Amino acid sequence: MSIFSYLLPKKEKSASVAKERLQIIVARERATRGGPDYLPQLQEELLMVVRKYVAVDQDAINIQVDRESGCEILELNITLPDE
Amino acid sequence: MTKIVVVTSGKGGVGKTTTSAALATGLAQRGHKTTVIDFDVGLRNLDLIMGCERRVVYDLVNVINGDANLKQGLIKDKRVEDLFILPASQTRDKDALTLEGVEKVLEGLKDMGMEYIICDSPAGIEKGALTAAYFADEAVVVTNPEVSSVRDSDRILGILSSKTRKAELGEGDIPASLLLTRYSPERVERGEMLSVEDVKDILAIDLLGVIPESQAVLNASNSGAPVILDSESDAGKAYEDAVARFLGEQRPHRFLTANKKGLFGRLFGAQ
């Protein structure tokens, strides 16, 4: 790093961009990990049904399977848009 | 008591074979009877890294199929006592590697009194990688400080937690530790490379070691001697530390900071 670079405006370092992107994608992939293979299609079809009545975004739906003491819980969150 | 260790990563080219060779050699150097098995059927390479490519007669698939017995398949290392290599087959038939067959080979190695069996996994998440990991008691996940490698390592960790025999038997996750390779402290300090802390944060597993980016690794593969035998080199020392930690020793991590530049270099931007 030369003396001149101290005078220039600071750019965000690529390593911190990498970390941020990784944290987001890894969290998303972990949410569906270990779930049944039909999960993405289930999500797709549920979204289609909801859309018949309410205009929701593609990413307004969140689906995941949790395991708690031997029983599986299918958790489904759909964020409805503001009026 | 035999411990089966899978060296895995998901992504290719991050240093699985280099690590398998170094780990197995390091364990044998410390007097532990060790076999390292190449599971990369069709793309045999461990033999080259171990420098025994001209001594391969039989391979893993030959032993599984009964064309050769285990003793005939094993290659005894010429440098280190108690070290054996079982090379992969060059067949393109991936189905040659069956779980039953692999289990038989592992049982045979246990009967021979092996203390450690290192399974060098192929890249990917296909059958070969799953077979290499299935019987493991422990995993070493090799990762480069780079986005695609870290993501693939996380994916492999997910697979390890559900697809090993221990997981299927309900015995829980096998312990997995992180080996960060090709690490460049200079680039980390410039903010151009993920730091060891960043990768640890994301993967949330124990750190077995950090291997610096080093010419010694290429020298080692060029000459067919595992880099851990180059005990003067930074990478060799880092692997030696990793082996010690693997055996339960506490050792501080080395080679994590850049060599400091002088005032002159800093002022005039010598890189």
Side-chain angles (χ1 to χ4, degrees):
Chain A
M1 199 175 283
S2 82
I3 194 165
F4 303 108
S5 60
Y6 290 109
L7 305 172
L8 297 168
K10 274 209 174 130
K11 249 194 333 189
E12 196 178 355
K13 299 288 190 186
S14 66
S16 47
V17 178
K19 186 178 185 190
E20 210 179 299
R21 291 175 60 218
L22 269 169
Q23 279 172 326
I24 294 167
I25 190 67
V26 162
R28 218 170 78 188
E29 287 172 349
R30 278 180 194 164
T32 50
R33 177 189 292 173
D37 293 340
Y38 57 73
L39 228 49
Q41 204 185 344
L42 177 65
Q43 169 164 348
E44 200 54 41
E45 286 179 27
L46 282 168
L47 195 62
M48 271 163 54
V49 175
V50 175
R51 273 198 180 141
K52 276 165 78 175
Y53 304 93
V54 199
V56 292
D57 286 340
Q58 186 70 35
D59 52 5
I61 189 164
N62 185 335
I63 190 166
Q64 65 184 63
V65 180
D66 285 327
R67 281 186 195 80
E68 268 175 43
S69 55
C71 90
E72 276 184 307
I73 302 164
L74 179 70
E75 194 179 304
L76 182 71
N77 278 304
I78 302 171
T79 316
L80 297 178
D82 297 333
E83 286 308 310
Chain B
M1 186 60 195
T2 310
K3 193 175 241 183
I4 303 173
V5 184
V6 62
V7 176
T8 184
S9 71
K11 192 175 182 299
V14 298
K16 281 182 298 296
T17 301
T18 298
T19 298
S20 300
L23 183 59
T25 307
L27 289 167
Q29 276 181 319
R30 285 163 166 262
H32 299 287
K33 200 170 175 185
T34 303
T35 295
V36 55
I37 308 178
D38 190 350
F39 274 85
D40 204 345
V41 171
L43 293 168
R44 171 202 294 168
N45 272 321
L46 179 69
D47 56 339
L48 271 178
I49 302 300
M50 294 296 297
C52 64
E53 69 277 7
R54 289 166 61 186
R55 295 168 62 207
V56 175
V57 182
Y58 297 109
D59 57 52
L60 178 58
V61 170
N62 290 143
V63 175
I64 287 177
N65 291 344
D67 307 332
N69 64 37
L70 189 51
K71 287 225 167 69
Q72 291 173 307
L74 283 181
I75 301 171
K76 192 176 180 329
D77 191 85
K78 286 195 168 162
R79 296 156 298 216
V80 183
E81 193 71 11
D82 295 325
L83 179 59
F84 301 86
I85 301 116
L86 187 52
S89 159
Q90 290 284 47
T91 172
R92 285 192 292 173
D93 177 17
K94 297 276 179 188
D95 293 328
L97 208 62
T98 59
L99 279 183
E100 299 73 40
V102 170
E103 185 173 23
K104 216 172 62 190
V105 170
L106 294 174
E107 288 302 325
L109 290 170
K110 281 183 189 179
D111 292 342
M112 286 176 66
M114 291 297 159
E115 288 174 75
Y116 291 96
I117 302 171
I118 310 296
C119 303
D120 181 19
S121 171
I125 52 174
E126 304 297 317
K127 199 178 160 202
L130 297 180
T131 309
Y134 188 73
F135 297 101
D137 300 308
E138 194 168 334
V140 172
V141 178
V142 183
T143 308
N144 288 169
E146 177 272 324
V147 285
S148 50
S149 174
V150 176
R151 181 201 209 170
D152 290 357
S153 292
D154 190 69
R155 187 115 166 76
I156 277 291
L157 286 167
I159 287 167
L160 287 174
S161 69
S162 61
K163 302 274 193 219
T164 65
R165 180 166 64 172
K166 286 230 155 95
E168 283 182 4
L169 291 173
E171 291 174 16
D173 291 9
I174 60 169
S177 55
L178 168 68
L179 191 82
L180 198 59
T181 56
R182 307 202 67 166
Y183 195 69
S184 167
E186 291 81 11
R187 297 173 74 183
V188 171
E189 280 176 21
R190 290 202 298 268
E192 296 165 2
M193 180 181 268
L194 289 164
S195 72
V196 56
E197 294 304 324
D198 291 341
V199 181
K200 260 174 68 184
D201 277 358
I202 293 161
L203 295 179
I205 54 173
D206 291 338
L207 182 66
L208 179 64
V210 179
I211 312 300
E213 172 83 66
S214 168
Q215 177 60 39
V217 175
L218 189 57
N219 290 348
S221 76
N222 284 343
S223 56
V227 68
I228 198 165
L229 293 176
D230 184 357
S231 53
E232 293 302 304
S233 69
D234 47 0
K237 287 176 186 163
Y239 271 117
E240 153 70 23
D241 285 353
V243 170
R245 283 186 212 107
F246 184 83
L247 292 169
E249 251 178 68
Q250 298 284 330
R251 282 206 187 176
H253 291 277
R254 295 192 270 177
F255 315 110
L256 297 185
T257 50
N259 292 325
K260 288 281 170 280
K261 267 187 293 200
L263 180 67
F264 187 85
R266 263 190 277 178
L267 277 178
F268 295 99
Q271 295 260 320

